[in-house]
Amino acid sequence: MDDLVLNWDLGTGGLLLLAAGAIALLLVLIMAFKIHAFLALMITSLLTAVAAGIPFNRLIEAISFGFNPTLGSVMLLVALGAMLGRMIETSGGARVLTDKLIARFGEQRAAMAVGVASLLMGFPIFFDAGLVVMMPIIYAVARRLGGSLLTVAFPAALAFSSMHIFVPPHPGPVSASAILGADVGLVLILGLVVALPVWYLVGVLYGGWVGRRYDVGVPTILDGSKDDHEEMESNPAFGKIVFLLVLPLILILLNTGLNMFASTQADPDAFKAEPVVAILRTLGETPVALLLTVLVSFWLLGWGMGKKGSLIDKVADSALGPICSVVLVTGAGGMFGGVLRVTGIGDAIADSLNSIGMPVILAAFLISQIVRIAQGSATVALTTAASLMAGVVVDGGFNPVEVAAIVLATAAGSVGFSHVNDSGFWLVSKFFGLDVKTTLKTWTVAQGLMAIVGFAISVVIYLVGGLLG
């Protein structure tokens, strides 16, 4: 879409009004007229594209810009994660793991234990993939504890989010580090210094309050039929379930480790092209790692337990139908955000803020935050802000700690106030069984708190780095 020329130039102010009007229309369609989110997102995306001046002969191209890549990535991860979750759930594995967690940590700390497990899994696994894999465990623990699903779900989901936003090897902080010339190893260490307090303050403390404030039942989206449960029930060993949860983690870490080692070589591309390395890196790509884990689950929980192949196929197939709505709505969220990106609103806002003149770390945070709110994508917000600030940072004489702090402040801005133009917002809404209003009052606020707390810690790191430098 780089060659797209709009029919008219709305300017930054006009683009802001357009974005605000589009979001307002979407909320009215969903909340007032009760139109399905997928249809409302598609209608709003088309009308926004027309209002922005995108030529009619390129409207489909414009709405496909965000929809196709979002749907492509989310569909693979959610489908494979749902199959794995259904195998674990129908075999009784989720109950076995839940019983063990509660016996070990007690009911009072079970939600914390799920959150800590999510932190560990979130180190190499992307937010959406990790959340889908953990959902059957989150559901099982929530059912066992009683009360609101959010008491268990928020600490886990915000653990994945914290790691995804602040800690390499996730793409956002890695890209920003490369653009701003930061040491990735230092960003990783300091990213943990930011991510862990953010998770505890927002995920555990605020998440606990949300769970007490909003009584949300456990959705049935990942439940199998009663017959499936009876036929698949095998009470698998605790170790088998842990292995299935850890296997994708190991494979993805293998990919990450090889990529990091390649960066230390004289010719990284040649190292990555070596046959053995290329094969191992492929095994560690998230979709491939999840596919292998699903196949292993078929053996450990099915074929190896004497279950018929037809039963395993039935259980796997039953996992796909209920998640169609999740996938389509998430893809449509990416469509809406993509249309806003095509209009150029992110670049217009970033350029305007960059010309005002303010402390570098504050400018990086605000540009990232406002671009995130305007167009939805955290990665786009982060890379846009980093690109605009690159010249100032490179020529600013900052020491390595200060540069790393600027990267983390930019990352903090990119997570804030996720709402209806963010595909992740819809993923959470559907899997947590929340309506749009409740998702805005809980998840959007939580993401905003993550941004504020993350920025505050980044500023402290920046100031300490200045004293040390």
Side-chain angles (χ1 to χ4, degrees), residues 9 35 79 84-85 93 105 133 150 155 273 353 373 375 383 385 402 409-410:
D9 183 9
I35 294 177
L84 177 60
F105 296 98
V133 170
L150 301 185
L353 283 175
I373 293 172
Q375 53 75 51
T383 53
E402 290 174 318
T410 312

Side-chain angles (χ1 to χ4, degrees), residues 165-166 172-173 176 180 345-347 349-351 353-354 358 360-389 406-419 421 451 455:
I165 289 298
F166 293 111
L180 297 175
I345 185 172
D347 291 337
I349 293 171
D351 288 337
L353 283 175
N354 194 38
M358 60 180 68
V360 172
I361 192 169
L362 177 60
F365 170 76
L366 288 178
I367 292 172
S368 183
Q369 173 70 100
I370 295 174
V371 173
R372 156 71 157 178
I373 293 172
Q375 53 75 51
S377 169
T379 302
V380 170
L382 182 52
T383 53
T384 298
S387 297
L388 280 173
M389 302 306 299
I406 294 171
V407 169
L408 295 171
T410 312
S414 74
V415 73
F417 300 100
S418 161
H419 63 98
N421 60 7
F455 175 65

Side-chain angles (χ1 to χ4, degrees), residues 211-242:
R212 295 188 295 273
R213 178 71 175 79
Y214 298 92
D215 187 11
V216 177
V218 178
T220 58
I221 190 171
L222 295 182
D223 289 354
S225 69
K226 184 177 180 181
D227 290 341
D228 290 343
H229 277 273
E230 291 177 351
E231 293 182 71
M232 280 295 297
E233 187 82 34
S234 60
N235 293 317
F238 173 73
K240 284 186 179 180
I241 305 304
V242 172

Side-chain angles (χ1 to χ4, degrees), residues 408-431:
L408 295 171
T410 312
S414 74
V415 73
F417 300 100
S418 161
H419 63 98
V420 291
N421 60 7
D422 174 28
S423 59
F425 173 92
W426 297 103
L427 193 71
V428 167
S429 174
K430 292 299 179 181
F431 271 125

Side-chain angles (χ1 to χ4, degrees), residues 110-180:
M112 173 75 83
V114 174
V116 172
S118 300
L119 278 175
L120 296 174
M121 289 185 66
F123 180 74
I125 297 180
F126 287 7
F127 168 76
D128 42 11
L131 185 61
V132 172
V133 170
M134 281 299 290
M135 283 315 300
I137 310 304
I138 293 170
Y139 287 172
V141 173
R143 286 194 183 100
R144 175 67 181 273
L145 296 180
S148 175
L149 166 74
L150 301 185
T151 303
V152 181
F154 255 60
L158 290 169
F160 285 114
S161 182
S162 296
M163 298 299 281
H164 186 84
I165 289 298
F166 293 111
V167 182
H170 291 288
V174 169
S175 298
S177 297
I179 293 169
L180 297 175

Side-chain angles (χ1 to χ4, degrees), residues 9 45 97 109 134 191 240 248 275 285 288 308 318 320 329 334 370 372 440 462 466:
D9 183 9
S45 297
L97 186 60
R109 291 188 289 274
M134 281 299 290
K240 284 186 179 180
E285 293 290 348
V288 177
K308 294 181 180 179
S318 70
L320 298 179
V329 171
I370 295 174
R372 156 71 157 178
L440 288 168
Y462 179 84

